[in-house]
Amino acid sequence: MLSKNTVKFIKSLHQKKYRTENGQFFVEGEKSVLEVLHSDFLIELLLITESFGKTHSEVLKSYSGQLIQVTQNQLEQLGQYQSNDSALAVVNMKANTAFEPKTSDLIIALDDVRDPGNLGTIIRVADWYGINKLVFSSQTAEFYNPKVIQATMGSFTRIQFFYGNLEEVLDRWNLPVYGAFLNGSNIHQMAKPEPGILLMGNEANGISAELEKKVTQKVTIPGFGQAESLNVAIATAILCDNFKRLMST
């Protein structure tokens, strides 16, 4: 049975303050919850409808945490989806642990990308292109924001990430840094790049002056129309496509 305290707790996770205090976040919807169930994230509480339980009974056999059956209306009251007839999971956050890159890696670094939708889309793009390492500046949107989690469509379960001082990180790694600029070299005419870091900047201001100094090669996506610029998530996707194509030749 769903208690008032449980309802109150899950609703508190809509706010960053309580997500941080409790070290937990929530995931909703059939696809994303299934992705979490198959991942190395630890689920503390799983709320499911009767139909979800019947459809995914085999998957649920390996789940050992707290399980509560609820109605669709209860799920929709707890989460942010207008329609959720499947499940909602309360999940433990992972520690903010820095990773060290491999020589074959292409890593995405985000400098002050503040829109949760953009961050979530970039994570999904990275997963599509097999890029599983991302590093974020401290001003970048919160990874566990529900809008970020929703936009990833489950891809958040397959990446490594951490937040840190990007200047220090780039200095420590000592890898080529490819920065996205409007005045950079045409990505379509770029030679085969060495593995390194693709640095993307803030939605309005681009890459900061401090991090621009760390860039070893500026790149740009050539435009053919009148638009002033591209959305950062779209630009990331186009650049990832070009980098992966060039690196595979």
Side-chain angles (χ1 to χ4, degrees):
M1 182 176 177
L2 190 62
S3 70
K4 290 183 179 179
N5 284 340
T6 300
V7 169
K8 182 179 179 181
F9 173 70
I10 294 173
K11 287 187 173 181
S12 76
L13 297 179
H14 286 243
Q15 299 180 52
K16 181 179 180 180
K17 173 185 176 182
Y18 296 107
R19 289 194 296 272
T20 303
E21 284 183 4
N22 292 284
Q24 294 179 322
F25 66 106
F26 69 88
V27 179
E28 56 186 322
E30 183 176 26
K31 175 174 171 50
S32 293
V33 170
L34 286 173
E35 294 274 17
V36 171
L37 281 166
H38 287 104
S39 75
D40 61 354
F41 276 92
L42 179 61
I43 300 175
E44 289 288 347
L45 171 64
L46 187 58
L47 308 181
I48 63 169
T49 60
E50 182 180 5
S51 61
F52 182 92
K54 289 179 178 178
T55 303
H56 303 290
S57 58
E58 288 301 313
V59 175
L60 293 171
K61 284 180 181 178
S62 61
Y63 173 67
S64 58
Q66 185 180 5
L67 180 68
I68 302 175
Q69 185 173 306
V70 295
T71 65
Q72 178 176 344
N73 182 62
Q74 286 175 311
L75 283 183
E76 291 168 354
Q77 293 295 318
L78 290 170
Q80 295 192 343
Y81 280 6
Q82 290 184 345
S83 177
N84 181 4
D85 61 356
S86 302
L88 182 149
V90 175
V91 187
N92 286 350
M93 295 179 180
K94 291 185 177 180
N96 186 48
T97 304
F99 55 75
E100 291 302 318
K102 298 178 181 178
T103 55
S104 60
D105 283 340
L106 178 64
I107 298 167
I108 296 175
L110 301 183
D111 175 23
D112 196 18
V113 173
R114 300 199 175 194
D115 182 81
N118 282 337
L119 176 56
T121 302
I122 289 170
I123 291 167
R124 189 176 178 186
V125 164
D127 185 30
W128 176 261
Y129 285 102
I131 300 169
N132 63 3
K133 290 184 172 66
L134 292 88
V135 56
F136 311 132
S137 68
S138 57
Q139 296 81 20
T140 293
E142 181 211 4
F143 184 90
Y144 297 107
N145 183 306
K147 292 181 180 178
V148 174
I149 298 299
Q150 288 174 20
T152 72
M153 293 298 292
S155 289
F156 77 92
T157 62
R158 286 182 288 276
I159 66 160
Q160 289 181 268
F161 74 95
F162 70 93
Y163 287 80
N165 183 311
L166 289 188
E167 290 183 72
E168 294 178 359
V169 170
L170 298 184
D171 282 341
R172 184 173 75 251
W173 285 351
N174 193 29
L175 293 170
V177 179
Y178 307 99
F181 289 86
L182 291 175
N183 62 347
S185 301
N186 187 337
I187 187 68
H188 295 166
Q189 299 169 0
M190 186 177 177
K192 182 176 181 177
E194 295 294 322
I197 300 157
L198 174 59
L199 177 63
M200 305 299 295
N202 174 266
E203 289 89 345
N205 303 312
I207 293 170
S208 65
E210 294 77 15
L211 287 177
E212 183 176 358
K213 299 172 186 176
K214 310 295 181 183
V215 173
T216 52
Q217 184 171 355
K218 295 181 179 181
V219 295
T220 195
I221 301 164
F224 301 93
Q226 301 300 313
E228 181 182 0
S229 62
L230 284 172
N231 170 277
V232 65
I234 293 173
T236 302
I238 295 171
L239 290 173
C240 285
D241 188 80
N242 279 276
F243 270 90
K244 282 294 186 177
R245 174 180 55 83
L246 290 166
M247 292 173 75
S248 64
T249 56

